[in-house]
C-alpha cells in the first residue's frame, strides 16, 4: 500500500497548514469566504467565526432549508396539530417522518405525525393562485379529523406567487372555530433551517403558549426547551427528572401535545437543551411571563450530573438536592463499569463532529466520557453565539438575510408576569456562581488550535479525513457514506439511524456501547481509502464533438484503474 502524498505531515498536523490545504483548491472568492468559516480555536478568547452566512453555490454542504427547520424541526413534533404543507408534494413528503422524533400519544388522541398532509400545488395554482385550494384542503382535513388546531406551512412557491396564507388562516379560524395558524417559512427565507426555527418559535409563542393558564400540580415544575425526542431522548430525560421529583410540563418539541404547549408558560423554570433552535422562545417567555431560563445538557454522564445539580440549585430545596445526589449516585453505579471497560479500549482515540446547531458541541461530552479527543468540530447552521458564546450577541451584524425574519416585540404581560424567584433569591443564586442565560458556546470547551469548521464542505471533510485520520466522525446522513467509503466509521448523530436513545445516563450507556461496536468491528479493514488506491486518470472535462464509441472508451479508462480492479 502506498503512503498518501500529502503536503501536511500526518502524525502531528499543523491546523494552520490543514486549513491552507483545504482552501487551496478553491477559486479566490470561495477561498476568501471559507477562510472566515474555518478558524483555529482559542478557548479563552474565541476568534470570530463566519457563521450563519449563505452557502456558496457549487460547494456541497449538509444544510437544509427554512421550511425544514419550521415544519420538520420545531413545529412538526407537536403530534396533535394537524399540519398542512402548502406547496408541491415533494416538500411535504420530504418533511414527513424523516426525523425520528418519536411520540407516544395517550389513547384516543390522534397522532398526525403519521400523516403527510399537502395541498399538492400544481401549475394551475402557481399561475392563478393557491389560496382556494388551500382553503379546500383545510376544510377537507377538518371534516375528516376534527383536529384541535391546524398549522399551514409555506413552501417556496407560496411566497413567490404571494398567496396570503395568514388571511386564509384567519378566515378558516372564524369559519371552523379552532386555532388555525400560518407559518411563512418558505424554504428560501433564510440561509438554512435556522431561519425556520425562528419562524416556528415566533408562531408557537404568538399562537399557542399562554392559551391555558392552569398549571400542572407539582412542587418542582419546568419545561425542557429544544429537546425533540430523537430516538426517545426526551423520554430518558423525563424519566430521570421524574425520579428526582421534577415534573416536566412541556418538552418543546418532543412527544408533546398542543394542550401541553398551551400551558408552557405556567412553569417555574425553562431548561434550554438546544440553544440554537429555541433560544427565542426562552427569551420571549422570560420577557412576557418572568420565567428564567438556564442552559442544560443531558448528553454525556458528566454533563447530565452537572445539569441535574444546577436544576436542584435553582429550586433551592434540600429535599430535592439530596434526591438528585441519590439518583446520580445510583445511575453512576450502573454506568461506571460499562464506561470504564469501553474507555480502556478507546482512550486517546480521535473523534470529529459536524452536526446541526448544537449536537456538535453536546456530543463532545459523550466522547470525552470515553477519554477520546475531539480533533475538529463544527456546526452546519449555528450562529456565532453557539460557537463563541452569548457574550458576542451584541456584536453580531444583522445582515439582509437575518432581517428577513420577524423579531417579535414582547413586553411583560400586565397580569401574568410573575417572576418565579424573588430578586433576593436571584441575587443569592448569582452570588453563589449560578448563571442564567449562560450559553458559553462550543469553542470555550475545546482545546487550543483545534480546527473549528462551519458549514463544512465535502471537499474539506475529505481533506480532514486524509490528514487527521479520525477514528470516528459524528455527522449526518448526507455525508455518512462518503465518510464510510473512506474507511472511517460515521455515527449518525441526527436521527441516530435505527438506534438511541442517547440522552441521560441510560442513553450514555447506549452510546458507549454503540461507539465500542463501531470502533472494534473489523469491517473497516476491508475498505481501501481513496488515497491508498492507484490515482485515477484525470476525468476529461468535456466530451463535445466526440462520438459515443470514443466517449465509452474514455469513460472506461478512468473508471477502472488496474490496481483497484485487482483488489475487488
Ligand atoms: Fe437543535 Fe436538534 Fe441540533 Fe436542530 Fe437539526 Fe436535530 Fe441537529 Mo438534525 S434542533 S440544532 S435543526 S439539536 S434535526 S434534533 S440533529 S440538525 S444538531
Amino acid at each position: 500500500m502506498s503512503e498518501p502524498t500529502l503536503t501536511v505531515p500526518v502524525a502531528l498536523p499543523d491546523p494552520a497548514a490543514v486549513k491552507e490545504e483545504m482552501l487551496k483548491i478553491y477559486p479566490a472568492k470561495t477561498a476568501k469566504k471559507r477562510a472566515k468559516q474555518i478558524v483555529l480555536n482559542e478557548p479563552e478568547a474565541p476568534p470570530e467565526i463566519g457563521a450563519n452566512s449563505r452557502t456558496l453555490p457549487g460547494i456541497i454542504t449538509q444544510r437544509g432549508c427554512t421550511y425544514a427547520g419550521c415544519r420538520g424541526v420545531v413545529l412538526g413534533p407537536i403530534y396533535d396539530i394537524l399540519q398542512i404543507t402548502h406547496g408541491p408534494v415533494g416538500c411535504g413528503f420530504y418533511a414527513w417522518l424523516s426525523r425520528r422524533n418519536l411520540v407516544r400519544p395517550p389513547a384516543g388522541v390522534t397522532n398526525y405525525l403519521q400523516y403527510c398532509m399537502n395541498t399538492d400545488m400544481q401549475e394551475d395554482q402557481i399561475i392563478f393562485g393557491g389560496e382556494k385550494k388551500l382553503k379546500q384542503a383545510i376544510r377537507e382535513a377538518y371534516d375528516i379529523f376534527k383536529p384541535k388546531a391546524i398549522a399551514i406551512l409555506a413552501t417556496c412557491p407560496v411566497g413567490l406567487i404571494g398567496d396570503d396564507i395568514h388571511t386564509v388562516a384567519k378566515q378558516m379560524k372564524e369559519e371552523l372555530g379552532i386555532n388555525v395558524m400560518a407559518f411563512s417559512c418558505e424554504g428560501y427565507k433564510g440561509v438554512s433551517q435556522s431561519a425556520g426555527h425562528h419562524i416556528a418559535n415566533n408562531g408557537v409563542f404568538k399562537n399557542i403558549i399562554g392559551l391555558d393558564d392552569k398549571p400542572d400540580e407539582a412542587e418542582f415544575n419546568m419545561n425542557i426547551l429544544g429537546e425533540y425526542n430523537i430516538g426517545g431522548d426526551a423520554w430518558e430525560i423525563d424519566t430521570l427528572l421524574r425520579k428526582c421529583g421534577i415534573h416536566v410540563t412541556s418538552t418543546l418539541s418532543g412527544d408533546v401535545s398542543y394542550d401541553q404547549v398551551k400551558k408552557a408558560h405556567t412553569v417555574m423554570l425553562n431548561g434550554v437543551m438546544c440553544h440554537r433552535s429555541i433560544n427565542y422562545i426562552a427569551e420571549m417567555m422570560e420577557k412576557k411571563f418572568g420565567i428564567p431560563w438556564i442552559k442544560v445538557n443531558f448528553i454525556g454522564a458528566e454533563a447530565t450530573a452537572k445539569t441535574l445539580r444546577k436544576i436542584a440549585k435553582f429550586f433551592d430545596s434540600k429535599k430535592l438536592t439530596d434526591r438528585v445526589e441519590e439518583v446520580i449516585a445510583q445511575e453512576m453505579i450502573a454506568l461506571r463499569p460499562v464506561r470504564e471497560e469501553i474507555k480502556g479500549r478507546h482512550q486517546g482515540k480521535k473523534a470529529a463532529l459536524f452536526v446541526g446547531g448544537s449536537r456538535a458541541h453536546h456530543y463532545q461530552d459523550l466522547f470525552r466520557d470515553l477519554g477520546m479527543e475531539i480533533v475538529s468540530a463544527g456546526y452546519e447552521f449555528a450562529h456565532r453565539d453557539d460557537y463563541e458564546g452569548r457574550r458576542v450577541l451584541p456584536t453580531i451584524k444583522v445582515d439582509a438575510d437575518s432581517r428577513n425574519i420577524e423579531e417579535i416585540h414582547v413586553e411583560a404581560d400586565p397580569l401574568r408576569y410573575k417572576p418565579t424567584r424573588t430578586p433576593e433569591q436571584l441575587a443569592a443564586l448569582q452570588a453563589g456562581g449560578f448563571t442564567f442565560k449562560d450559553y458559553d458556546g462550543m469553542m470555550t470547551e475545546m482545546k487550543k488550535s483545534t480546527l473549528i469548521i462551519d458549514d463544512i464542505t465535502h471537499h474539506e471533510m475529505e481533506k480532514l479525513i486524509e490528514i487527521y485520520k479520525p477514528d470516528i466522525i459524528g455527522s449526518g446522513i448526507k455525508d455518512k457514506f462518503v465518510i464510510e467509503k473512506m474507511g472511517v466509521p460515521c455515527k449518525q448523530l441526527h436521527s441516530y439511524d435505527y438506534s438511541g436513545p442517547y440522552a441521560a445516563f441510560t442513553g450514555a450507556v447506549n452510546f458507549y456501547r454503540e461507539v465500542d461496536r463501531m470502533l472494534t468491528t473489523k469491517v473497516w479493514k476491508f475498505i481501501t481509502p481513496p488515497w491508498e488506491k492507484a490515482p485515477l486518470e484525470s476525468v476529461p472535462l468535456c466530451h463535445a464533438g466526440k462520438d459515443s464509441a470514443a466517449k465509452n472508451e474514455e469513460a472506461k479508462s478512468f473508471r477502472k484503474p488496474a490496481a483497484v480492479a485487482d483488489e475487488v
Side-chain angles (χ1 to χ4, degrees), residues 353 359-368 374 377 442 446:
L353 288 104
R359 295 188 170 187
H361 181 195
H362 287 164
Y363 280 74
Q364 293 188 19
D365 286 316
L366 273 171
F367 286 108
R368 283 199 201 100
I374 314 297
M442 167 202 281
M446 293 186 68

Side-chain angles (χ1 to χ4, degrees), residues 73 99 193 197 228 230 274 277 355-359 381 493-494:
V73 177
R99 184 164 171 262
Q193 54 266 65
H197 302 152
Y228 301 91
I230 307 299
C274 169
S277 62
V355 204
S358 79
R359 295 188 170 187
F381 51 77
L493 286 182
H494 295 256

Side-chain angles (χ1 to χ4, degrees), residues 279-300:
N279 70 85
Y280 320 96
I281 281 182
E283 287 282 298
M284 292 189 284
M285 278 173 81
E286 179 165 17
K287 277 194 192 137
K288 187 167 177 181
F289 304 107
I291 304 164
W293 71 264
I294 57 170
K295 179 74 181 68
V296 296
N297 179 17
F298 290 96
I299 301 296

